[in-house]
Amino acid sequence: MTRYIFITGGVVSSLGKGLASAALGALLQARGFRVRLRKLDPYLNVDPGTMSPYQHGEVYVTDDGAETDLDLGHYERFTGRPATQADNITTGRLYRDIIAKERRGDYLGATVQVIPHVTDALKEFVLDGNEDVDFVLCEIGGTVGDIEGLPFFEAIRQLGNDLERSQCIYVHLTLLPWIPSAGELKTKPTQHSVKELRSIGIQPDILLCRSDREIPATERRKIALFCNVRESAVIQALDVASIYDVPLSYHMEGFDREVLNAFGMEAGKALPLEVWEDISDRVANPEGTVKIAIVGKYTGLKDAYKSLIEALTHGGIANIVNVELEWIESEVFENEDPTPFLDGVNGILVPGGFGKRGAEGKILAAKFAREHNVPYFGICFGMQMAVIEAARNMAGIDGANSTEFGGTSEPVVGLLTEWLKGNELEQRLKNGDLGGTMRLGAYTAKLGEGTRIADIYDATDISERHRHRYEVNMKYRPALEKAGLVFAGLSPDGLLPETVELTGHPWFIGVQYHPELKSKPFEPHPLFASFIAAALEQSRLV
């Protein structure tokens, strides 16, 4: 029997529902259960693909090409189970599908309403395709009391009645703020949040209470009394030094045990958590430090690079070093010499991005790395800017540029209008829709034997996730390779460049895909492990 755990949030947003869901998934996995995690987002966008990173943070891409919420990245990193398009739904996608059915006449003339049509569609989404798992963890985006979230809360309330009594529980994540003037933690916000949840028919089984300090037993008893839960079900979720300490912290507080008890299941013996203990130890006790400069255009919001940050951390875990990130807005290089900003860093990473703003600064960052023998990692847009830099300054193509920025006589990077996905030809128009029209999801690539990147992967056939609309123009390959920039990886048909690397450089690699999306703390991506190793070597030379 598949069991369902619904995770909701109250008091304020950004409390860490996604992280709590991922950590609980990891703990249940450690107990031998099969888990699946899903995210229900109440916003009206069909997906986050067209949303500004400043609005939404990172867009996480799955193997099957879905643009999803960044929490799915947490799910994958903590459980290792690949997410799919069927693990994230939004109000926009839901309403789009319902209206399409109404237009076709699928509802046979019925008046289409939130209840039952929207709630039924949500319930169908939650219940579909779970035959092979023991637990489905469903995180409800937003905060209880939000108007847009009401259909989602109503759907999971109904599921509580539709499913068997021992098949569904509710976990509510709240905040206990510390009031300095009073010198105490306040439970009233949690009480009001639970009251709001109960007013729509949901009684939480477990309260996960975020706090920056220990919650006294008296306060736990008070919360249990006024929120109608067992005292043992009031779980403190304390701040920790690293997100990879969260599974261990939650286990120590009895979160996973209480979840099993709520289902009437025996908690059993202690968990084998050696993997998480080793990760935690490596993060807490590094044997050195490397400084990596991230030259991007969304540096004002670190969530825009969430998977990237974690993948760099994983590279540090693999090498038992602390990775210190130096965030640099690429636009500053367009008016200033990059040397004062980049002198002294052990590695330079230029991440993905879109648009002309800051592009010249990223090109200068690649130039600095090339000329000063600093390890360079260009991802997606970062690879394209490295190729343009090489075309201009190594191959002598003065007008080298990208058509993304306007008309150019030397389109070293151009709009990708068609490509093969499996056996089907995908095509895009220049003035077509922006949403869901990029080269998205997992594609295979062939790496040249004897290349640095093939040595790093220890393979010549790889599969990585893409999210881009522009591509390096293969017409320029001969001139670039003659100058020393090798096209080390290509699509299986040989038409699309996947990776480039600079000969004679300590570590200079660009990839068109996003390797950060597949990195995990217990399985660091080989490119990030190698990049941090190169940065560590560079730090010893300074």
Side-chain angles (χ1 to χ4, degrees):
M1 179 176 66
T2 302
R3 294 173 171 84
Y4 294 84
I5 304 170
F6 297 106
I7 297 103
T8 59
V11 184
V12 296
S13 60
S14 302
L15 281 180
K17 292 195 304 297
L19 198 54
S21 303
L24 178 58
L27 291 174
L28 291 173
Q29 269 191 336
R31 289 185 178 274
F33 296 108
R34 298 163 298 170
V35 301
R36 181 177 194 175
L37 293 103
R38 287 177 153 169
K39 176 74 183 286
L40 282 63
D41 277 311
Y43 53 75
L44 279 171
N45 303 67
V46 171
D47 58 44
T50 61
M51 296 169 71
S52 164
Y54 288 118
Q55 288 278 320
H56 187 268
E58 173 193 69
V59 174
Y60 191 79
V61 178
T62 60
D63 277 339
D64 59 357
E67 294 176 289
T68 70
D69 185 83
L70 61 81
D71 279 331
L72 271 71
H74 285 313
Y75 303 164
E76 279 203 31
R77 282 188 288 274
F78 277 71
T79 67
R81 179 187 170 109
T84 71
Q85 188 147 202
D87 292 324
N88 188 205
I89 196 168
T90 69
T91 298
R93 182 172 144 202
L94 199 69
Y95 276 47
R96 181 195 63 183
D97 295 345
I98 289 171
I99 290 170
K101 288 181 180 179
E102 185 273 330
R103 293 290 82 190
R104 289 196 304 266
D106 291 3
Y107 295 113
L108 303 177
T111 301
V112 181
Q113 297 176 293
V114 173
I115 302 173
H117 299 97
V118 173
T119 50
D120 281 354
L122 280 166
K123 290 192 292 183
E124 183 181 342
F125 172 81
V126 170
L127 297 174
D128 186 52
N130 301 322
E131 297 79 12
D132 64 334
V133 296
D134 301 305
F135 289 96
V136 177
L137 286 70
C138 282
E139 176 194 347
I140 314 302
T143 307
V144 62
D146 295 344
I147 291 174
E148 61 266 29
L150 287 175
F152 292 78
F153 287 102
E154 172 60 18
I156 65 172
R157 182 198 69 78
Q158 291 181 20
L159 280 170
N161 292 326
D162 296 345
L163 298 169
E164 295 181 20
R165 288 187 181 274
S166 62
Q167 203 177 351
C168 166
I169 68 167
Y170 301 94
V171 175
H172 192 54
L173 180 63
T174 72
L175 174 70
L176 266 66
W178 171 261
I179 307 300
S181 59
E184 61 182 0
L185 289 167
K186 289 296 183 180
T187 65
K188 195 64 70 177
T190 291
Q191 294 177 44
H192 279 292
S193 181
V194 172
K195 181 181 178 183
E196 181 75 28
L197 197 60
R198 293 174 70 186
S199 73
I200 55 179
I202 297 173
Q203 168 63 50
D205 298 280
I206 298 170
L207 294 179
L208 195 58
C209 302
R210 284 296 307 273
S211 174
D212 64 352
R213 63 201 68 213
E214 290 279 338
I215 303 174
T218 53
E219 301 304 298
R220 291 204 208 187
R221 283 194 292 271
K222 183 177 180 181
I223 292 169
L225 178 64
F226 285 101
C227 296
N228 193 33
V229 297
R230 296 181 303 277
E231 187 178 338
S232 63
V234 180
I235 309 294
Q236 62 180 2
L238 302 176
D239 294 348
V240 290
S242 162
I243 64 170
Y244 301 116
D245 292 330
V246 173
L248 297 173
S249 175
Y250 282 0
H251 176 62
M252 288 177 61
E253 298 298 334
F255 184 26
D256 51 312
R257 182 192 66 241
E258 198 62 32
V259 165
L260 294 178
N261 287 341
F263 282 112
M265 302 170 68
E266 290 292 328
K269 58 184 179 181
L271 299 186
L273 293 173
E274 292 87 353
V275 169
W276 291 104
E277 289 168 354
D278 181 53
I279 291 168
S280 179
D281 181 64
R282 283 170 174 254
V283 172
N285 301 292
E287 297 175 0
T289 297
V290 296
K291 183 182 290 187
I292 304 297
I294 297 181
V295 183
K297 61 186 294 184
Y298 310 116
T299 57
L301 182 70
K302 304 303 184 289
D303 269 359
Y305 301 110
K306 191 62 181 174
S307 290
L308 185 67
I309 295 169
E310 298 312 318
L312 287 165
T313 299
H314 304 162
I317 290 170
N319 291 278
I320 321 180
V321 295
N322 174 51
V323 180
E324 182 182 321
L325 301 181
E326 190 81 21
W327 295 91
I328 302 173
E329 184 70 34
S330 58
E331 279 186 289
V332 302
F333 292 170
E334 296 175 5
N335 300 309
E336 298 184 48
D337 179 9
T339 303
F341 296 89
L342 298 176
D343 201 20
V345 301
N346 309 126
I348 297 170
L349 191 150
V350 176
F354 298 93
K356 184 178 181 179
R357 182 177 69 83
E360 290 296 327
K362 294 182 178 183
I363 290 169
L364 288 173
K367 182 181 180 183
F368 180 93
R370 178 177 61 82
E371 292 181 341
H372 292 80
N373 285 328
V374 177
Y376 177 85
F377 196 177
I379 295 176
C380 196
F381 194 81
M383 167 180 148
Q384 295 172 4
M385 296 306 100
V387 172
I388 290 174
E389 191 280 323
R392 290 178 185 177
N393 302 310
M394 294 174 64
I397 307 171
D398 294 336
N401 218 323
S402 171
T403 59
E404 185 175 0
F405 313 145
T408 174
S409 59
E410 299 287 359
V412 172
V413 177
L415 181 67
L416 183 65
T417 56
E418 61 181 48
W419 61 90
L420 283 174
K421 186 166 188 177
N423 295 320
E424 295 185 9
L425 183 67
E426 296 273 341
Q427 293 181 309
R428 298 292 181 266
L429 299 175
K430 182 177 181 181
N431 297 317
D433 289 347
L434 295 180
T437 61
M438 290 180 279
R439 189 177 184 220
L440 290 166
Y443 288 84
T444 57
K446 293 278 187 180
L447 306 181
E449 290 191 15
T451 58
R452 177 189 289 273
I453 196 165
D455 291 341
I456 292 170
Y457 274 98
D458 193 25
T460 54
D461 294 295
I462 62 169
S463 175
E464 293 283 3
R465 298 176 190 175
H466 294 64
R467 184 176 184 254
H468 61 102
R469 188 172 281 109
Y470 290 80
E471 194 85 49
V472 172
N473 191 337
M474 287 288 280
K475 176 182 118 176
Y476 293 91
R477 180 184 180 183
L480 286 163
E481 291 202 323
K482 184 178 179 181
L485 189 71
V486 176
F487 283 51
L490 303 173
S491 58
D493 57 14
L495 298 178
L496 301 174
E498 294 281 7
T499 79
V500 297
E501 57 188 53
L502 196 61
T503 56
H505 192 282
W507 206 99
F508 193 107
I509 291 176
V511 297
Q512 185 59 72
Y513 47 83
H514 289 269
E516 69 272 20
L517 299 177
K518 295 181 75 171
S519 188
K520 303 170 185 66
F522 43 82
E523 189 182 343
H525 193 286
L527 282 175
F528 283 92
S530 178
F531 176 58
I532 297 302
L536 181 61
E537 184 64 29
Q538 200 273 349
S539 72
R540 292 166 177 162
L541 299 175
V542 176

